Amino acid sequence: MSEADKQWGGRLKQARLAAQLSQKQLGIQAGIDQFVASTRINRYELGVHKPDFLTAQNLARVLGISAAFLYAPEDEIANLLFRYCHADEPVRLSVQKLLEKLPALPMV
């Protein structure tokens, strides 16, 4: 089990606890069979297994976060993503306006 898998699982657990969902509730709402939902989420959180990207997106949707939060290698970036996802529209617009002042990647 890699450190990246442990970190991914830890982030999933953080977001699940913040959403006040049980492992079973999260799994079921993300489309995982109810009979294995709790076990699968537990394995993901422990870093034993990692879901495919579509499942990760479903988990993120249920948790109200970006899937990027789960994959961010830096805690600082993950924290910013989590806060941005939970901010109301006026705050998001303020952040976007602030970031417009910084260089962006060229569009291809």
Side-chain angles (χ1 to χ4, degrees):
M1 167 179 3
S2 73
E3 285 302 313
D5 290 341
K6 288 181 191 176
Q7 183 180 52
W8 195 99
R11 293 247 170 83
L12 178 65
K13 185 174 183 176
Q14 285 178 302
R16 178 181 62 78
L17 293 175
Q20 299 181 341
L21 292 172
S22 69
Q23 291 176 334
K24 185 171 187 167
Q25 289 170 322
L26 172 58
I28 291 170
Q29 290 181 36
I32 298 170
D33 183 277
Q34 67 178 347
F35 297 107
V36 297
S38 181
T39 301
R40 286 211 17 218
I41 299 301
N42 180 266
R43 297 287 188 206
Y44 295 157
E45 288 182 358
L46 292 174
V48 175
H49 297 294
K50 199 168 184 182
D52 60 55
F53 189 67
L54 179 60
T55 301
Q57 287 180 308
N58 288 337
L59 292 167
R61 177 188 43 78
V62 171
L63 294 169
I65 58 171
S66 168
F69 167 80
L70 299 169
Y71 293 95
E74 300 90 1
D75 290 337
E76 179 182 13
I77 300 299
N79 190 27
L80 289 171
L81 287 166
F82 184 86
R83 289 176 175 205
Y84 182 82
C85 290
H86 287 89
D88 59 18
E89 192 63 24
V91 171
R92 283 180 172 211
L93 291 173
S94 295
V95 169
Q96 290 170 16
K97 194 168 198 121
L98 178 67
L99 292 175
E100 285 174 1
K101 298 175 183 178
L102 300 174
L105 289 173
M107 300 304 271
V108 287

